[in-house]
Amino acid sequence: QLDRTERIKNCQNPDFCKKFVVDYYFEKVQKLKFGVYDIDNKSFDLNDDDYLGGVECTLGQVVSSSVFTRPLELEQGKPAGKGTLTVSAEEIKDTRVVYLEIEARNLDKKDFLGKSDPFLEFYRQSDAGTWQLVYRSEVIKNNLNPCWSKFSVPLQTFCGGDFNKPIKVQCADHDSDGSHDLIGTFEMNLTQLQKADGSSPVEFECIHPEKKQKKKSYKNSGIIRIKSCKIETEYSFLDYVMGGCQINFTVGVDFTGSNGDPRSPDSLHYISPDGINEYLIAIWSVGSVVQDYDTDKLFPAFGFGAQVPPTWQVSHEFALNFNPSNPYCEGIQGIVDAYRQILPQIRLYGPTNFSPIINHVARFAAHSAHQGAAAQYFILLIITDGEITDLDQTRQAIVNASKLPMSIIIVGVGEADFKAMEFLDGDNGVLKSPTGEPAARDIVQFVPFRQFKNAPREALSQMVLAEVPKQLVSYYKWQGWPPMKPP
């Protein structure tokens, strides 16, 4: 049991006010069960109370529907009268971020030989009255009129979302031995900062308390100028999904000869007596998580690298259901069924070309991007046994796709050398096209299946999908597109 609501007496249509807090992970299927009880006693134990029915679902289903209503059931498929349960979800956090540009004028000289090396520290006052450090700027060497680079702090961190909460700023001269000398300090709040804009900065006198006491003629130790203060909303993955962004899932399956003859037990496409192989496990693991975020549950699925009847031409993007005008499969089960049916009908061949299928999905992503709204995001899952033949074209395709609302997941099956895949993943540096153009964002996640041979099935989908929310948010942030229905 995670939590329970308050008890509402004598009511058939209760509206519970208590909210549950659940940690949310896109890359896991998080199963939830809501149980409704009629409580007529004081004991905490629910076994002596009447069970009115429950609802089982996943957290993904709840967050991807603006309002989630289901009939209460006594057990799976057995309705509990006419009762229904409605769950709504929201993400708790202040998603605003403060961006500041700050410079100083005429700071005190603290070093005997050179000028000061100033830096700033910002503190917020806690409810208990103590000061907590929230941000420290970079040090600017040897400069009494420094201009610090623009920086950002989450609003929640900066002032707890309270625009009148005092913020203490200290300006100090940096010494490499850590004995920094205070230049001066002052207090301000966000309401004052917000008045700053390019033409009229907000200025504060930097005061050194000891100097002020000693000298009657002391004015200040310099002026700190807030050149600009902007407050912007940082949207999260959930903001986009709850705002109506659809995630479109496409699968590409490698049917090249190096997989081995599907009829032979040592082939990667051999379906074992219990009905699975590595290709099927990969489709199930990733697909079962993604499908909760796709309303129509229709997934295009393609094969590449095989000779396809009736002409036996080699194709690098053929529909798994052999229907090029409608390559959509119903649900993950539909992809699995199409895969099983097509295996005996094609001839595994080669080479291993990725770019056609990447470009295929990119065309849809480009069409969606032209609409200029955070409406659709595309995930392409490619399952392959190894070496890429068209590495240069694939690099170019990925760099092009990095400017579109899409992510590419590559699952490597079998024991091949996956160096090229790791190179495409871009985690060790930015991927560049053959002409030297860098990817706009990192959109490829590569995972070798062998690392997950003996792990629970969820482990694969978690590893594979952990990057997707970041990639989706980074794309829409880069475009400057808010969710279609902002929170």
Side-chain angles (χ1 to χ4, degrees):
Q1 180 179 314
L2 185 76
D3 207 343
R4 59 170 83 168
T5 64
E6 75 278 21
R7 166 178 158 193
I8 297 181
K9 285 193 172 174
N10 297 332
C11 178
Q12 309 296 107
N13 300 299
D15 201 347
F16 300 99
C17 80
K18 169 147 180 209
K19 295 170 179 56
F20 302 150
V21 179
V22 185
D23 284 332
Y24 167 82
Y25 301 96
F26 168 70
E27 63 281 357
K28 292 185 189 172
V29 175
Q30 291 173 270
K31 292 188 177 167
L32 297 177
K33 180 178 180 181
F34 297 87
V36 185
Y37 293 84
D38 174 30
I39 296 178
D40 289 321
N41 56 27
K42 289 200 164 75
S43 76
F44 188 77
D45 189 350
L46 292 170
N47 288 325
D48 54 8
D49 300 302
D50 294 321
Y51 181 55
L52 301 179
V55 169
E56 289 186 35
C57 61
T58 69
L59 188 53
Q61 288 171 317
V62 176
V63 301
S64 58
S65 8
S66 44
V67 179
F68 181 85
T69 302
R70 291 290 183 277
L72 290 173
E73 294 185 336
L74 291 170
E75 54 195 59
Q76 204 87 45
K78 190 177 169 198
K82 295 191 171 67
T84 62
L85 180 81
T86 297
V87 183
S88 59
E90 64 174 349
E91 194 174 11
I92 16 176
K93 65 174 205 272
D94 191 326
T95 56
R96 291 171 299 174
V97 175
V98 186
Y99 288 88
L100 290 167
E101 280 183 277
I102 300 183
E103 63 185 13
R105 290 284 172 269
N106 308 321
L107 294 176
D108 283 0
K109 176 176 177 298
K110 287 286 182 182
D111 289 342
F112 178 61
L113 291 167
K115 297 171 181 162
S116 300
D117 304 324
F119 68 98
L120 300 174
E121 287 185 328
F122 294 76
Y123 294 84
R124 79 181 239 203
Q125 201 166 22
S126 73
D127 297 337
T130 56
W131 292 102
Q132 301 163 320
L133 179 68
V134 294
Y135 180 78
R136 180 182 288 120
S137 78
E138 81 274 27
V139 176
I140 296 189
K141 290 273 188 193
N142 215 20
N143 193 334
L144 299 180
N145 298 296
C147 183
W148 290 278
S149 48
K150 186 176 182 178
F151 65 92
S152 65
V153 186
L155 196 65
Q156 200 130 26
T157 310
F158 194 65
C159 59
D162 176 353
F163 283 50
N164 295 315
K165 193 184 271 283
I167 304 286
K168 185 166 77 177
V169 184
Q170 288 189 349
C171 180
D173 167 37
H174 184 273
D175 285 323
S176 47
D177 63 3
S179 62
H180 312 312
D181 300 314
L182 180 67
I183 294 174
T185 180
F186 62 93
E187 284 188 25
M188 58 178 196
N189 62 36
L190 201 51
T191 307
Q192 293 168 300
L193 292 194
Q194 281 193 286
K195 301 188 175 100
D197 65 45
S199 51
S200 56
V202 175
E203 299 191 343
F204 296 93
E205 286 187 291
C206 211
I207 304 293
H208 193 294
E210 288 169 21
K211 281 191 166 183
K212 189 176 181 181
Q213 274 185 329
K214 282 186 191 153
K215 269 190 177 166
K216 279 239 158 48
S217 61
Y218 174 79
K219 280 173 104 169
N220 58 50
S221 294
I223 303 284
I224 305 283
R225 308 175 64 186
I226 316 294
K227 292 200 300 186
S228 77
C229 169
K230 286 201 175 66
I231 294 172
E232 291 180 10
T233 303
E234 295 262 300
Y235 295 109
S236 68
F237 174 71
L238 281 190
D239 291 332
Y240 284 106
V241 168
M242 292 168 124
C245 184
Q246 278 297 308
I247 293 182
N248 298 281
F249 180 55
T250 304
V251 179
V253 178
D254 178 341
F255 290 108
T256 53
S258 48
N259 282 281
D261 182 342
R263 288 167 300 204
S264 152
D266 53 11
S267 163
L268 292 166
H269 280 296
Y270 176 74
I271 297 180
S272 66
D274 55 357
I276 57 166
N277 62 26
E278 291 184 11
Y279 280 90
L280 286 168
I281 293 172
I283 292 169
W284 266 120
S285 317
V286 179
S288 61
V289 173
V290 175
Q291 68 178 352
D292 281 343
Y293 299 87
D294 188 309
T295 40
D296 64 11
K297 307 273 183 283
L298 292 173
F299 306 115
F302 300 95
F304 59 92
Q307 291 177 316
V308 182
T311 59
W312 302 107
Q313 286 288 100
V314 174
S315 170
H316 294 290
E317 44 169 327
F318 57 89
L320 276 197
N321 62 6
F322 278 158
N323 183 351
S325 60
N326 183 10
Y328 296 91
C329 301
E330 281 193 33
I332 304 307
Q333 186 63 51
I335 302 177
V336 169
D337 294 343
Y339 168 81
R340 289 185 170 156
Q341 279 160 10
I342 202 171
L343 258 182
Q345 304 180 56
I346 54 175
R347 294 182 194 150
L348 274 54
Y349 207 71
T352 311
N353 290 355
F354 278 18
S355 58
I357 201 160
I358 294 175
N359 290 332
H360 179 104
V361 176
R363 285 194 291 276
F364 287 90
H367 179 71
S368 171
H370 282 313
Q371 262 114 54
Q376 310 221 10
Y377 194 85
F378 294 79
I379 297 176
L380 168 61
L381 170 66
I382 298 177
I383 315 170
T384 178
D385 77 327
E387 293 296 312
I388 304 184
T389 318
D390 65 337
L391 189 57
D392 279 358
Q393 290 94 319
T394 295
R395 278 164 62 193
Q396 186 64 58
I398 291 170
V399 168
N400 296 347
S402 72
K403 307 185 198 76
L404 298 171
M406 72 181 272
S407 293
I408 300 166
I409 292 160
I410 304 173
V411 175
V413 294
E415 300 304 319
D417 171 17
F418 292 122
K419 281 216 172 45
M421 310 290 171
E422 283 156 12
F423 167 67
L424 295 175
D425 191 322
D427 283 348
N428 318 324
V430 180
L431 176 73
K432 291 192 167 81
S433 74
T435 58
E437 183 192 354
R441 23 190 278 284
D442 176 17
I443 61 164
V444 179
Q445 175 76 347
F446 167 71
V447 179
F449 188 89
R450 52 177 172 245
Q451 289 177 5
F452 296 88
K453 269 254 165 70
N454 304 311
R457 211 175 268 194
E458 302 79 69
L460 176 68
S461 59
Q462 281 169 41
M463 175 74 194
V464 166
L465 294 170
E467 307 264 328
V468 168
K470 286 194 284 254
Q471 292 173 354
L472 179 146
V473 170
S474 77
Y475 175 76
Y476 292 127
K477 186 177 175 181
W478 178 59
Q479 292 287 8
W481 297 345
M484 293 195 295
K485 299 195 288 278

